[in-house]
Amino acid sequence: MFCSKKKLLEVERIVKANDREYNEKFQYADNRIHTSKYNILTFLPINLFEQFQRVANAYFLFLLILQLIPEISSLTWFTTIVPLVLVITMTAVKDATDDYFRHKSDNQVNNRQSEVIIDSKLQSEKWMNVKVGDIVKLENNQFVAADLLLLSSSEPHGLCYIETAELDGETNLKVRHALSVTSELGADISRLARFDGIVVCEAPNNKLDKFTGVLSWKDSKHSLDNQKIILRGCILRNTSWCFGMVIFAGPDTKLMQNSGKTKFKRTSIDRLMNILVLWIFGFLVFLGIILAIGNSIWENQVGGQFRTFLFWSEGQKNSVFSGFLTFWSYIIILNTVVPISLYVSVEVIRLGHSYFINWDRKMYYSGKATPAEARTTTLNEELGQIEYIFSDKTGTLTQNIMTFKKCSINGKIYGEVHDDVECKKEITKKKESVDFSVKSQTKRTFQLFDHSLMESIKLGDPQVHEFLRLLALCHTVMSEENNAGQLIYQVQSPDEGALVTAARNFGFIFKSRTPETITIEELGTLVTYQLLAFLDFNNIRKRMSVIVRNPAGQIKLYSKGADTILFEKLHPSNKGLLSLTSDHLSEFAGEGLRTLAIAYRELDDKYFQEWHKMLEDANAAMDKRDERISGLYEEIESDLMLLGATAIEDKLQEGVIETVTSLSLANIKIWVLTGDKQETAINIGYACNMLTDDMNDVFVISGNTAIEVREELRKAKENLFGQNRSFSNGHVVSENKLQLELDSVVEETITGDYALVINGHSLTVYDQWFITLFNIVYTSLPVLAMGIFDQDVSDQNSMDCPQLYEPGQLNLLFNKRKFFICVAHGIYTSLVLFFIPFGAFYNMVGEDGQHVADYQSFAVTMATSLVIVVSVQIALDTSYWTVINHVFIWGSIATYFSILFAMHSNGIYEVFPNQFPFVGNAWHSLNQKCIWLIILLTTVASVIPVVAFRFLKMHLYPSLSDQIRWWQKAQKKAKPTSRRRPQTRRSSSRRSGYSFAHQEGYGELITSGKNMRVKNPPPTSGLEKTLYNSTSWIENLCKKTTDTVNSFSQDKAVKL
């Protein structure tokens, strides 16, 4: 509570560098993080509080209290406390295990090492010991320990490059730059140790893109914004080192402010079980009231005749009070109706499924040696009930790695492969790619299978040369050489990296740049261009341009951008080339490639000088500065001459098309969150098969308020009304066996609990120890084995038949209807279990001529029948048999008989004579053949209706899983020959208007020279890695069908 008040009162933060004593008076949080829920002191009270929020646990605690009252207790207290303690203990162990791993993760993070300036020395310090105001050193590829104010770096002008994937999922590098007054500190530890600046800034908050503050140092103040801050969770990239001052630490960092408090999560099954338990409890109360009323009536009319002989107390002679006591007595007797063991079973099954997820080899990513990991054991069953998936694009659907594939130059496509009759054909491994090895600065991983572009370059085609020259000049890429003399590119955008790399491999190599010049190597000759202006990219312009002067004195504007924007800026003489290039762009977009248009313009020297003077005036203006600059950009970017277009492949993650298709067929709705332009988002939608050509219309819903969006959706619905739409369903996950297991447990708990009324007092038919051990010993393990190991169909068939996922989404396997069916089944079984033995024992004589219809023999017969019936029922519900299933099911029966004979033996009677008085009763009863006939008759009568119903249902109205099980059995006898479908390619008429991932502001950095190096230190890799991804259409998808098993044995694959 104290921390919460302190944070609410903090309206601004004051931090002094290198002065822990000064900062400690503000009681700022240290850099230790806590994501765990408990500690040693709080675990027991908090965990018990959470567990007793469950209705069943709270009920059994209340029941235990009632059993301690002698006047109403009809069962001993251990019949309740044993299962309750077991439930609480097992759940607590599971919760403690989960929290242990949270503590382990926290300790791993808190004990990471960082370098901190302490006592004028750079010392190694654990993250958790870093304090607000400390000066921290970061090195390349190192995680940022806290929210830092960047002071200096190895890059020119205090720049550094960071990756923010942990914060926003973006793998594109972002630039942060220090104040000029602090960047001069460099790596001088003594100067950094003497730095005593004071930062006054905003209080801790969760806004990742905003920071406001002021640095006061050397009698001057400097404003701070988000460009000066490096947030915890970022990774330093392409920067040898940097120093930063800790502003926010630990829970105050923006990353932790966004994480939120760990909440106790409940699944839909948990919520439904709580509702059902309340219903069961209500039913129990109803029964208790009815029986209590009956007791009061009986006591008033008949019971008074027995009071003289039973020596009752005065209070018990009152019939109303007797009914009140009887009510609570029946609540205790019938307590097993409430399925407390259900919670234990569910928790253990969840834990088992979590280990299966962790051990699944098919979910192991060998590329990074990363297995699947279930971070919580409480939500597993909801993997089979997913209806919506929200996914990020960058780094999730795509690798964010671009590859140059094709281009159109002066009306001709380069990058395609043709045979002798000029027909397109697929590129295969046998086709020889263009040999770039003769060029020393080429990138080895770059591949192109069309030799005509190299031939045009060698022939000196001026349009081709100008095209490649533009790619080498119009960009924001930075270059450097490593110790081996290899040219390394540092790119802000992977699109630009792909284009500059392509130009490099074709002989137009970008070498270096200064704020005033760009140097490229054109077919072996170094050429330096004077950079006159840089017209930066933004989301409105959707293009970028550079104005350069070549050595011959010519001034040219080179521009690249969205074809929908750039085509409007073309000179009218480009009409013929425009039409041809537009067709090429449509073809590229149909192949899922990202496109850019390329154009240039020659400028008159006098015109440019006049324009540049107006640009300088606009930059200096205080009023409508941005509008004036934008207008000047529009003016000079006109009457362009079209050169062509580029086509880049945005590589999808491996298996994205198949996965998205599977999810769609599984009736899962997919939402992709992206900051891309609309055209790019649509293009990616087609590339990963979320959008297909079968969709007649793609609607763009745009609105700033809920009312606007609702209106847009209404219009889209009206447009769709009456149109034919096809819906397909999908696969991925098999039917949820946990829900099937719930049915079995509910049936067991409903199964007959009867009480005999003897002189107004209740007595249970079953032995008290049998009631105690029934759920936790006799029937628990078979249920767990079925819930953990059972499979209705094989994993491969569940992947091939998408409709199997739908029952989980629709809650068809465990719902209120299923519950009432289980109740009806349980009531029927209870009646059979009671009345068949009761009728058979009526006036029955044993084989020795003696009467065997005593109470304890009747109880043993009923209990034995119940254990066998439940075990047979579990066996009928089991579809996939393992050794563990056999051991648990038949072993439970063996365990029952072992305990039964032990409780009726002389040995245990001598130790506990009051608890086990019926010596030899089990042996005597089960030696009678008639007893076994009764047990057999009871078992058959209980199971036969279920078997008959399932037989008729499977043959008359088989479900899809029933049909696949039949097909699996047929496959074991005769494995069919697999057929291979020809590979198809997706074609699309869809065209991407613009696909260019770029960040605004890099033009200003380039022209200011802030990101220029004075000398080249050992660099790090920029675009050295190119990954390849093969994406093809899913070939084997199963159609939704109600055909017989023969349809499955013929062929599982169908066309979409």
Side-chain angles (χ1 to χ4, degrees), residues 292-315:
I293 293 173
N295 175 267
S296 296
I297 295 173
W298 186 87
E299 287 289 345
N300 185 51
Q301 297 180 358
V302 182
Q305 304 173 13
F306 296 92
R307 291 172 187 166
T308 304
F309 307 100
L310 296 176
F311 304 103
W312 284 8
S313 64
E314 289 297 323

Side-chain angles (χ1 to χ4, degrees), residues 11-24:
V11 294
E12 69 175 10
R13 172 157 294 201
I14 304 174
V15 182
K16 186 175 183 180
N18 291 314
D19 195 338
R20 288 189 173 185
E21 184 178 352
Y22 175 86
N23 297 321
E24 282 176 357

Side-chain angles (χ1 to χ4, degrees), residues 150-215:
L150 180 62
L151 298 178
S152 62
S153 76
S154 60
E155 301 299 298
H157 305 281
L159 264 67
C160 74
Y161 300 89
I162 59 171
E163 179 185 296
T164 60
E166 292 288 332
L167 299 177
D168 55 17
E170 293 289 338
T171 55
N172 291 342
L173 298 185
K174 296 179 175 60
V175 174
R176 296 291 182 265
H177 52 88
L179 293 168
S180 57
V181 293
T182 61
S183 63
E184 297 173 355
L185 298 173
D188 190 333
I189 302 300
S190 60
R191 294 182 64 188
L192 288 165
R194 292 194 301 270
F195 176 71
D196 59 353
I198 296 178
V199 173
V200 180
C201 66
E202 61 189 19
N205 59 75
N206 63 354
K207 297 179 180 178
L208 297 175
D209 58 347
K210 181 182 177 183
F211 180 85
T212 57
V214 176
L215 170 66

